[in-house]
Amino acid sequence: MTKEVFAGFFKKDIPVAGGVLGGSITYLSFKPCCERLKSSLMDTKLSNPLHMESREEIEIFNAIVTDANEVM
């Protein structure tokens, strides 16, 4: 194996392999997070007009409104 062939391998193939590896790691790490976010946003007041508010949501909303009124 000559130096030119060896250098050509590192110039072209290593960056491509690094890009594929980096893209794969990014995809595999973000996919579960995206699925959880998608499922949690699927049934919200803005995305579903038939959404039934839970007691917890009402309490959180009231706490936010109360805090906002205290600041003003």
Side-chain angles (χ1 to χ4, degrees):
M1 185 181 277
T2 64
K3 289 182 181 181
E4 294 170 3
V5 172
F6 194 67
F9 171 76
F10 280 110
K11 283 184 184 176
K12 297 177 184 174
D13 294 339
I14 296 294
V16 171
V20 169
L21 181 65
S24 300
I25 290 171
T26 302
Y27 177 78
L28 292 174
S29 63
F30 275 93
K31 181 71 173 167
C33 297
C34 293
E35 291 298 323
R36 281 188 302 204
L37 179 62
K38 181 177 158 185
S39 67
S40 67
L41 293 177
M42 205 171 275
D43 189 33
T44 61
K45 201 180 231 183
L46 294 174
S47 66
N48 183 1
L50 303 175
H51 175 72
M52 300 295 287
E53 287 183 330
S54 69
R55 184 173 191 64
E56 181 183 10
E57 289 174 326
I58 294 169
E59 290 174 3
I60 291 170
F61 179 75
N62 289 337
I64 292 170
V65 170
T66 303
D67 288 346
N69 289 336
E70 289 177 359
V71 171
M72 294 180 149

